[in-house]
Amino acid sequence: MVHSYRAHSGQVTCVASCPSKETVFLSSSEDGRLLLWDTRNPKPASRIDTSSFSDLITSVTWHPEESDTFAFGDEIGTVSIFNLKNPKSILRAAVHSRSVTGLAFSKHSSPLLASISEDCSVAVVDSSLSEIFRDRSHRDFVKGLSWSPLNPENLTTVGWDHQVIHHTLKRKETTKPETNCVSD
């Protein structure tokens, strides 16, 4: 069975399913809206107002253990953590200098959050969005990331530079200068 839902007026940029509620998911679009969906409701989509603190949202992910918490990244490199029960307590940080292309919470060491970007970097932040790891080994846009299911310190990323890179987290590590990245 296939269900189709329409509430965006622009191209949909990302989607994330709530890990503990099968009928709940988030979507964002080039229309500038972030929608919270609950397919049990007659009108399943409700808007989360991010207009005052975010540009176009490019990536979204749910916290693996807190069903009311999710993170999103935007086109100017800002990463935000949002709690549905307390929307005014949003945390924001300029983690990247260009568009965020992906986000993933670690399931082992929550609340670590990894982010990747068109600035060719990989960053890992803690629950207060303080950076604990950064790597600039990619030479082009970083487009995919995955935490190891067995080792909580291992993160794998892929990029348009044809590389697959395994990162081992060491607090506040920085490698290679940003000049290896694609030029602006």
Side-chain angles (χ1 to χ4, degrees), residues 5 8-9 31 33 43 48 51 53 58 69 74 81 92 96 106 109 113 118 124 139 147 153 169 183:
Y5 302 100
H8 288 291
S9 60
D31 62 12
R33 297 187 302 159
K43 290 187 177 184
I48 298 171
S51 60
F53 52 80
T58 55
T69 301
D74 66 26
I81 298 177
R92 301 179 65 233
H96 297 281
S106 169
S109 45
L113 174 65
E118 289 181 359
V124 178
R139 295 182 308 270
W147 285 98
E153 295 184 350
L169 268 63
S183 60

Side-chain angles (χ1 to χ4, degrees), residues 39-61:
T39 59
R40 297 170 297 185
N41 298 334
K43 290 187 177 184
S46 59
R47 183 176 185 175
I48 298 171
D49 185 16
T50 60
S51 60
S52 63
F53 52 80
S54 183
D55 285 82
L56 179 68
I57 294 172
T58 55
S59 185
V60 64
T61 188

Side-chain angles (χ1 to χ4, degrees), residues 75-117:
E75 66 184 344
I76 63 168
T78 302
V79 172
S80 303
I81 298 177
F82 190 91
N83 185 291
L84 292 168
K85 289 183 178 176
N86 192 2
K88 293 184 192 252
S89 70
I90 187 164
L91 294 174
R92 301 179 65 233
V95 176
H96 297 281
S97 60
R98 295 178 75 177
S99 183
V100 175
T101 55
L103 296 164
F105 279 102
S106 169
K107 291 186 176 113
H108 324 285
S109 45
S110 292
L112 294 183
L113 174 65
S115 62
I116 56 175
S117 170

